[in-house]
């Protein structure tokens, strides 16, 4: 029975990775749509929200069933606890992709201000953090998340920089207010995605070592 | 282990003839706590449990080295009276084993052996013991019925009450629920939780979920060795030893 359970645990991890890929891809596509001002591409992200929600419900259910039927302990329990957090974080990251895609649909008819400021650069860094957090979960390797605290500090600094830059443009020209406000919101959503990557990293650390750490 | 220990073993070894069944076991049993011993069949957990009240003395060709102290007294000391040791360290077995007597006489048996003759005293001991074993309400109107007429779960609680009647300090339980259904098991588990207010409980169980539910400390044994011993929450959440991890996640055993 233990073999069957461990096979199911492996399957859960694979399914969770699929969901993490979908959440990451929704965010990636939304940022691409923002850079390219592509409403159709943005619409494809919005259309994926039901799919990621369905995955979240199904995977959580899978976790609860594994707990109820097998009463997992030690690492097995920690793998399921971590997977539940990865599921939630991936859902949130995908949903932020959807929210950014909605913004694209609102502002894609007007040219970018200052080439979107630092948003594309910030998005790349956030994407890398999400990738590394998920890779750590996939490979049980903490090396990928070793310097997450410093990387998160960089993201916070970039969000603050975009906020100040946006305010400057808005003060100079009120016609930029709508777009700059949206940029500030996008920077905020990207920062939250980095926070979710940190949450995944914290839980991978717990999964691997049983120790709780706080990354911020 | 920072809590005060009631039993301590130091470099305890036991041989059944040529078989080295316990190998250098050193551990502390904290007072007024429940300690569970887990491990695969034949790992030595029942043997260790039986060392605590010298039940292994009854087996031929057993050799023991090392030290076991109960409240800092060596239980293998020549001065130790085994009957009084077994009064202080009581035992509940896997299968309920009431005597073929009445409920009352089962409980009164131990106190009578230890010299209590006064009926009022015996009545009080019987009532208190049955209350502590959470059986009083179910049997108070039929104390003179045969104990063997009780259900399996009730018989096991009767055996616990019988152990309590001689006012032990430590109660050893060897798989006390393995012959019981889930409801009777839950009652015994609740009882164990209540008993630790007044007694120290050491329980051997194959059921890891039971160990996790009822114990404060858990020791994992394997091939005669105590591999790891610590707070139950630590053992079941993040054990330090890979062997423990592999056993409690079902990768062997």
């Amino acid at each position: 029975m233990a073999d069957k359970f461990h096979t199911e645990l492996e399957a859960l991890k694979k399914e969770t990775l699929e969901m993490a890929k979908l959440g990451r891809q929704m965010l990636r596509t939304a940022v691409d749509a923002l850079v390219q001002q592509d409403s159709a591409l943005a619409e494809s992200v919005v259309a994926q929200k039901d799919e990621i929600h369905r995955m979240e419900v199904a995977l959580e259910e899978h976790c609860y069933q594994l707990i109820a039927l097998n009463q997992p302990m030690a690492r097995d329990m920690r793998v399921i606890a971590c997977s539940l957090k990865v599921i939630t974080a991936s859902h949130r990251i995908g949903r932020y992709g959807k929210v950014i895609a909605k913004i694209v649909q609102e502002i894609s008819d007007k040219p970018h201000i200052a080439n979107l400021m630092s948003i594309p650069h910030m998005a790349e860094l956030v994407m890398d953090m999400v990738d590394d957090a998920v890779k750590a979960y996939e490979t049980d390797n903490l090396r990928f998340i070793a310097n997450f605290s410093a990387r998160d500090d960089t993201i916070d600094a970039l969000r603050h920089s975009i906020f100040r830059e946006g305010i400057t443009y808005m003060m100079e020209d009120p016609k930029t207010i709508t777009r700059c406000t949206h940029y500030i919101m996008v920077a905020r959503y990207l920062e939250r995605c980095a926070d979710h990557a940190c949450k995944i990293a914290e839980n991978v650390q717990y999964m691997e070592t049983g120790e709780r750490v706080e990354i911020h | 282990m920072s809590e005060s220990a009631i039993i301590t073993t130091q470099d305890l070894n036991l041989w059944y003839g040529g078989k080295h069944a316990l190998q250098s076991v050193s551990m502390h049993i904290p007072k007024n706590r429940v300690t569970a011993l887990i491990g695969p069949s034949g790992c030595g957990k029942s043997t260790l449990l039986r060392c605590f009240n010298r039940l292994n003395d009854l087996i031929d060709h057993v050799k023991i080295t090392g030290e076991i102290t109960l409240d800092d007294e060596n239980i293998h000391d020549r001065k130790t009276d085994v009957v009084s040791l077994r009064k202080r360290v009581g035992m509940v077995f896997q299968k309920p084993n009431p005597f073929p007597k009445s409920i009352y006489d089962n409980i009164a048996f131990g106190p009578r052996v230890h010299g209590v003759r006064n009926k009022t005293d015996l009545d009080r001991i019987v009532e208190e013991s049955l209350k502590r074993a959470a059986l009083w309400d179910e049997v108070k109107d039929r104390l003179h019925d045969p104990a063997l007429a009780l259900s399996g779960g009730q018989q096991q609680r009767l055996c616990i009450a019988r152990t309590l009647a001689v006012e032990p300090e430590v109660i050893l339980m060897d798989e006390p629920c393995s012959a019981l259904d889930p409801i009777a098991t839950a009652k015994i588990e609740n009882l164990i939780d209540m008993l630790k207010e007044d007694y120290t409980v050491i329980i051997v169980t194959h059921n890891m979920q039971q160990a996790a539910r009822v114990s404060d400390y858990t020791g994992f044994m394997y091939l005669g060795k105590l591999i790891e011993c610590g707070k139950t929450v630590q053992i079941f959440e993040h054990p330090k030893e890979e062997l423990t991890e592999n056993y409690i996640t079902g990768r062997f055993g």
Side-chain angles (χ1 to χ4, degrees):
Chain A
M1 288 313 284
D3 287 348
K4 182 173 169 244
F5 170 62
H6 291 127
T7 306
E8 283 198 42
L9 210 52
E10 281 303 309
L12 171 74
K13 243 183 128 174
K14 282 202 182 100
E15 291 162 20
T16 306
L17 283 166
E18 285 302 311
M19 181 177 173
K21 276 183 198 156
L22 176 62
R24 191 255 187 220
Q25 174 260 311
M26 286 172 73
L27 183 65
R28 168 85 267 171
T29 309
V31 171
D32 288 347
L34 178 68
V35 172
Q36 296 158 22
Q37 296 186 289
D38 188 337
S39 278
L41 195 57
E43 182 53 37
S44 74
V45 177
V46 176
Q48 287 175 308
K49 76 175 194 316
D50 291 340
E51 170 66 3
I52 200 154
H53 176 67
R54 188 194 60 73
M55 284 179 106
E56 183 192 32
V57 172
L59 280 176
E60 281 184 359
E61 187 62 30
H62 193 174
C63 290
Y64 300 150
Q65 282 176 3
L66 286 177
I67 293 169
L69 299 181
N70 300 281
Q71 298 94 42
M73 288 174 167
R75 186 183 161 80
D76 293 344
M77 181 277 292
R78 301 199 307 269
V79 167
I80 296 179
C82 179
S83 299
L84 276 166
K85 294 290 186 179
V86 174
I87 291 161
T88 303
S90 301
H91 181 247
R92 294 310 307 158
I93 290 168
R95 293 283 297 187
Y96 280 124
K98 187 216 87 175
V99 178
I100 293 171
K102 285 272 192 190
I103 289 175
V104 173
Q105 290 175 325
E106 285 193 34
I107 61 173
S108 62
D109 57 335
K110 291 204 176 75
H112 287 315
I113 295 162
N115 281 331
L116 283 169
M117 303 186 280
S118 305
I119 286 176
H121 173 58
M122 182 182 182
E124 291 309 317
L125 297 184
V126 169
M127 223 50 87
D128 286 347
M129 285 180 75
V130 173
D131 283 344
D132 283 345
V134 173
K135 260 188 236 163
Y137 170 73
E138 181 178 12
T139 61
D140 307 329
N141 190 336
L142 299 177
R143 183 173 55 83
F144 292 106
I145 53 172
N147 54 354
F148 255 43
S149 205
R151 291 166 77 175
D152 192 46
D153 288 346
T154 305
I155 298 298
D156 289 347
L158 278 167
R159 185 194 71 79
H160 190 61
S161 154
I162 290 166
F163 174 76
R164 292 190 57 148
E165 200 177 344
I167 296 283
T168 308
Y169 284 115
M170 287 192 269
M171 283 163 61
E172 280 173 6
D173 178 4
K175 287 201 286 296
T176 65
I177 286 176
T178 303
R179 277 168 292 165
C180 282
T181 305
H182 281 309
Y183 292 171
I184 288 169
M185 292 308 292
V186 168
R188 169 72 181 142
Y189 299 145
L190 289 171
E191 186 219 350
R192 290 298 299 137
C193 289
D195 289 343
H196 285 294
C198 290
K199 273 280 159 222
I200 293 176
E202 287 173 3
N203 281 280
V204 172
Q205 175 89 31
Y206 174 67
M207 178 176 82
E208 285 305 304
T209 66
E211 287 161 14
R212 307 305 306 257
V213 294
E214 198 177 349
I215 300 171
H216 53 75
Chain B
M1 207 172 280
S2 58
E3 300 195 56
S4 71
I6 187 164
I7 292 178
T8 299
T9 72
Q10 187 62 45
D11 198 22
L12 180 68
N13 286 275
L14 182 145
W15 288 264
Y16 291 121
K19 183 178 157 47
H20 197 175
L22 291 179
Q23 301 180 23
S24 193
V25 174
S26 296
M27 73 183 301
H28 299 286
I29 304 292
K31 198 171 182 172
N32 290 107
R33 294 286 179 269
V34 179
T35 300
L37 297 173
I38 60 168
S41 297
C43 69
K45 53 192 189 300
S46 289
T47 299
L48 177 61
L49 192 78
R50 296 160 67 92
C51 281
F52 295 138
N53 68 352
R54 290 182 52 180
L55 273 189
N56 292 312
D57 290 11
L58 306 173
I59 302 170
D60 291 339
H61 309 300
V62 166
K63 181 186 155 197
I64 298 172
T65 64
E67 196 177 74
I68 305 173
T69 55
L70 172 64
D71 273 340
D72 298 326
E73 288 170 31
N74 187 345
I75 67 167
H76 289 112
D77 196 286
R78 282 184 192 170
K79 286 181 287 178
T80 301
D81 170 18
V82 178
V83 174
S84 122
L85 171 70
R86 290 182 189 145
K87 178 177 176 295
R88 292 175 70 190
V89 184
M91 182 117 182
V92 176
F93 295 88
Q94 186 169 3
K95 210 172 154 218
N97 55 352
F99 303 133
K101 294 167 176 285
S102 70
I103 295 167
Y104 185 98
D105 286 341
N106 262 272
I107 310 294
F109 189 88
R112 280 178 180 145
V113 167
H114 289 283
V116 181
R117 290 279 179 268
N118 181 294
K119 183 161 186 321
T120 316
D121 288 344
L122 283 173
D123 287 352
R124 180 184 51 78
I125 291 170
V126 167
E127 181 173 343
E128 274 180 14
S129 303
L130 286 169
K131 278 182 175 166
R132 285 184 176 181
L135 190 59
W136 174 251
D137 288 341
E138 294 164 54
V139 300
K140 64 184 175 194
D141 300 323
R142 48 178 174 138
L143 291 175
H144 297 286
D145 284 5
L148 291 168
L150 297 172
S151 71
Q154 287 172 327
Q155 285 186 18
Q156 192 62 308
R157 277 180 285 147
L158 180 74
C159 291
I160 293 172
R162 192 176 61 189
T163 305
L164 300 180
V166 294
E167 297 178 351
E169 294 162 52
V170 180
I171 303 168
L172 310 176
M173 296 187 172
D174 193 355
E175 299 274 3
C177 302
S178 60
L180 305 180
D181 65 57
I183 292 169
T185 297
K187 283 187 180 166
I188 300 282
E189 288 181 2
N190 286 338
L191 177 57
I192 291 171
D193 197 50
M194 287 191 292
L195 288 176
K196 72 180 179 187
E197 278 189 23
D198 300 309
Y199 310 93
T200 301
V201 179
I202 310 172
I203 177 171
V204 161
T205 175
H206 271 106
N207 181 335
M208 281 181 290
Q209 280 73 33
Q210 180 172 68
R213 281 194 299 269
V214 305
S215 71
D216 303 295
Y217 291 87
T218 297
F220 167 61
M221 297 188 67
Y222 184 62
L223 299 179
K225 291 181 182 149
L226 179 69
I227 304 297
E228 186 172 355
C229 188
K231 288 196 169 168
T232 295
V233 70
Q234 179 254 314
I235 296 288
F236 287 106
E237 191 183 349
H238 49 98
K240 292 193 179 90
E241 300 296 328
E242 197 178 344
L243 258 179
T244 318
E245 174 90 46
N246 288 342
Y247 177 69
I248 63 179
T249 56
R251 284 175 170 83
F252 77 90

